[in-house]
Amino acid sequence: MQAKDSNPPDGGYGWVVVVSAFVVMGLTVAVLKTFGLFFVEIQQHFDELASTTSWITSVTIAVFHLGAPVASSLCVQYTHRTVVITGGLLAFSGMALGFFGLNMVWMYATTGFLQGLGISFSWTPAISIVSHYFSKKRALANAIASAGECAFAFTFGPFFQWLISQYGWKGALLIIGGIQLNICVCGALMRPLASSCLKDCHCKTAMPPGNSASRKDKEDKSPIMHKTFNWMLVRRPEFVLYAIFGVLAAMSFFVPPLFLVPLSYSLGIDESWTASLLSILAMVDFGGRLLCGWYANLHVTKTIHLLAMTITLISTSLMLLPLANNYLSLAIFTGFYGFFFGTTVAIHITVLADVVGMPEFDSALGLFMLIRSTGGFVGPPLAGLIVDMAGDYRAGFYMAGATLVLSAGFLVILERLQQRKKRGRKIRTKPEKSTLPYPSLHLLKHQ
C-alpha cells in the first residue's frame, strides 16, 4: 500500500492551500484591478496626461510578469512558502512608500515597481502550488483560487472609494499596504508537498507500472526535483504559440479595468455609482470562474477549445461596451465582459499545464509570465495614447477587443499543431502493430 503522500492529495490539506491562494489572489490582483479608482486622483494631483499616469499601472503589470521567472526559480531553489511571504513584504513596502507621493517617478518606483514585484512573488508561487496539490481536480482548484481576486474586488471597489474620500489617495495607499501584510500569513499556510509525492507523481506518468528499478533511476533525474530553471521551453513550438497568445491577451486584459472608471465619469455617472460598476465586474467575474472551472472539471470539452471560445466572447463584449451611454447599459455590458473574463482566467493556467506537462510547469509558468509581460507593459500606455489621440475613452476598449481577436487565432494554430503531432504519433506506431499480427511472432522477435 502506498504512503499517504505518494500522490497529489486532490483534496485534504490541498483545500487549505486553495483558500490561502484565494486570499493571496484577492490581496494582489484584486488591488491591481481596482487601482483605476486612484487613476483620476493621481492624474489630477500631478496634473499629468492619461498616458503618463497609466505608466504606474503599466510598470506594475510589467514587473508582475518580469518577476515571475525569478519567483519560479526561487520556488525551485527554496519553497513556495518562503517566496509568498517575501512577496507580501514587498507589496506592503510599495504601497507604504507610495504614501509619500513625491512625484510621478516616485510613484513608478513604489506603487509601480515594488508593488509589481510583491504581486509577482505572491501570485506566481500561490497559483503554482495549487497545481501541484491537485491533478484530477486541477481545473476546479485553480478556478476557486483565482476567484479570490473577484471576491475581494467586489468589496474593494466601494471600500477603496470610501478610503480615498476619508483619508485621501495617499492615506488609502498606506492602509491598503497594511492589509496586504496578510499575504505573509497565507504564505505560512502553504505547506510544501513531500518530495516523494512530486517524484512519484512524475514517475507514474513517465514509467510503466512494475518497472521499479527504472522508476527509481527516473526519480533521481526527475525535472521537478532538479534545482534548475528550464529556459529551453522557448524552443518548443507549442509553448511559443501559447506565449504569443499570452502577450496579446495581456495587452487587452488590463485596459478595461483601467479605463472603466474614467469612461463612467465621462458619461456623467456619479462616483458612488461608478464604484458599483467595479463591484458588478467582480461579482460576475467570480461566477464566471466558478462555473467555467466546474464545467472544465467535467472534461466534456477540451480546455484549449473552451479557452478559444471564451476569448472570442470577451472580445465581442469589449466591442459592444463602448456603445453604452448611461449607467444601466454600461452596467450590462460590464457584466458580460466580467463574466467572460472570469471564464478565461479560470482555465488559462490549466491550459498551460496541459501544453507543457506538470514536470515543466513551474519553469513554464515563470517563462510564460516573463514573455507575457511585454503585452502588459505596452497595453495600457498604448491604449492611453489612443485615448489621448481620439479624445474618447471608448477607443481604448476597441483596441483591447481587436487585440483579443488576434490572440484567439494563435490558440487555433496551437490546437491544430497539437492535433497534427498526435496524428503523426499514431501513424508512426501503426506499422509496428501491423507487421506482427500474431502474439507468437511478437514473442519470437524478442527471443
Side-chain angles (χ1 to χ4, degrees):
M1 187 175 180
Q2 289 178 332
K4 187 176 181 180
D5 64 343
S6 61
N7 291 303
D10 258 323
Y13 193 81
W15 294 117
V16 177
V17 175
V18 169
V19 172
S20 299
F22 179 92
V23 178
V24 170
M25 299 302 110
L27 296 179
T28 54
V29 185
V31 172
L32 181 58
K33 287 177 68 174
T34 51
F35 197 77
L37 290 168
F38 291 87
F39 185 90
V40 175
E41 299 289 336
I42 295 175
Q43 183 182 11
Q44 292 177 349
H45 179 83
F46 292 106
D47 192 23
E48 296 285 356
L49 294 172
S51 55
T52 305
T53 308
S54 66
W55 275 103
I56 297 176
T57 302
S58 181
V59 171
T60 308
I61 296 168
V63 175
F64 167 32
H65 290 79
L66 289 169
V70 180
S72 294
S73 182
L74 290 173
C75 288
V76 175
Q77 294 287 338
Y78 302 102
T79 63
H80 296 78
R81 170 187 285 169
T82 303
V83 182
V84 172
I85 293 174
T86 303
L89 294 174
L90 287 170
F92 162 73
S93 300
M95 287 296 195
L97 292 173
F99 163 78
F100 294 101
L102 303 180
N103 49 51
M104 287 301 294
V105 176
W106 178 263
M107 300 305 296
Y108 296 155
T110 55
T111 57
F113 181 82
L114 281 179
Q115 178 68 196
L117 194 61
I119 292 175
S120 182
F121 277 37
S122 304
W123 185 92
T124 307
I127 204 69
S128 173
I129 197 171
V130 169
S131 294
H132 280 301
Y133 261 91
F134 289 84
S135 178
K136 294 179 181 179
K137 300 177 182 177
R138 184 177 298 140
L140 180 61
N142 277 326
I144 295 173
S146 68
E149 67 180 77
C150 315
F152 278 76
F154 178 77
T155 56
F156 278 176
F159 178 57
F160 286 3
Q161 189 74 60
W162 179 80
L163 285 178
I164 293 171
S165 64
Q166 294 294 314
Y167 304 101
W169 66 269
K170 293 184 179 181
L173 288 180
L174 183 61
I175 294 172
I176 294 168
I179 295 172
Q180 285 183 308
L181 281 174
N182 288 286
I183 295 172
C184 300
V185 179
C186 297
L189 293 173
M190 292 180 179
R191 187 171 66 198
L193 269 173
S195 299
S196 60
C197 169
L198 295 178
K199 291 190 289 187
D200 192 76
C201 176
H202 167 68
C203 294
K204 284 190 172 183
T205 59
M207 298 297 299
N211 196 343
S212 58
S214 184
R215 182 183 294 120
K216 177 65 177 176
D217 185 56
K218 283 288 183 180
E219 284 180 358
D220 296 334
K221 299 178 182 179
S222 171
I224 295 179
M225 299 311 297
H226 274 179
K227 299 299 183 181
T228 58
F229 189 87
N230 186 7
W231 295 93
M232 293 300 102
L233 285 168
V234 294
R235 295 184 177 181
R236 292 177 56 175
E238 297 93 335
F239 176 78
V240 172
L241 286 171
Y242 197 70
I244 295 173
F245 152 74
V247 170
L248 294 172
M251 287 180 65
S252 309
F253 281 169
F254 295 98
V255 171
L258 183 63
F259 291 114
L260 182 61
V261 171
L263 174 63
S264 175
Y265 288 160
S266 69
L267 295 175
I269 299 174
D270 185 74
E271 290 184 3
S272 59
W273 287 104
T274 298
S276 71
L277 286 175
L278 297 177
S279 296
I280 292 172
L281 183 64
M283 182 173 61
V284 294
D285 188 351
F286 182 84
R289 292 181 195 226
L290 294 184
L291 182 61
C292 189
W294 167 79
Y295 180 76
N297 201 59
L298 297 177
H299 305 289
V300 175
T301 307
K302 288 182 64 175
T303 51
I304 192 169
H305 291 166
L306 193 58
L307 181 60
M309 182 176 66
T310 58
I311 286 291
T312 303
L313 291 170
I314 291 179
S315 61
T316 303
S317 62
L318 283 177
M319 293 293 191
L320 294 174
L321 192 146
L323 299 178
N325 55 11
N326 53 47
Y327 174 79
L328 180 60
S329 58
L330 187 60
I332 291 172
F333 287 127
T334 297
F336 278 116
Y337 160 73
F339 180 82
F340 294 128
F341 177 82
T343 59
T344 298
V345 176
I347 57 172
H348 82 289
I349 295 299
T350 303
V351 174
L352 176 62
D354 293 340
V355 169
V356 301
M358 280 311 298
E360 303 289 356
F361 178 70
D362 282 337
S363 296
L365 181 59
L367 276 176
F368 176 74
M369 296 296 290
L370 173 64
I371 297 171
R372 200 176 76 164
S373 66
T374 55
F377 188 73
V378 172
L382 177 60
L385 179 62
I386 293 173
V387 166
D388 288 337
M389 292 174 62
D392 192 340
Y393 287 107
R394 293 180 176 88
F397 292 90
Y398 288 128
M399 184 276 278
T403 308
L404 277 176
V405 171
L406 184 60
S407 73
F410 285 91
L411 288 178
V412 175
I413 297 172
L414 170 59
E415 198 276 334
R416 294 288 177 85
L417 177 62
Q418 289 178 324
Q419 288 298 319
R420 187 162 59 246
K421 286 192 172 184
K422 186 178 180 180
R423 287 194 297 267
R425 285 193 296 268
K426 287 182 178 179
I427 293 172
R428 285 194 298 270
T429 56
K430 195 172 182 180
E432 295 178 7
K433 295 179 181 179
S434 61
T435 55
L436 295 171
Y438 301 106
S440 59
L441 293 178
H442 180 76
L443 292 174
L444 287 172
K445 182 183 177 183
H446 292 282
Q447 287 179 352

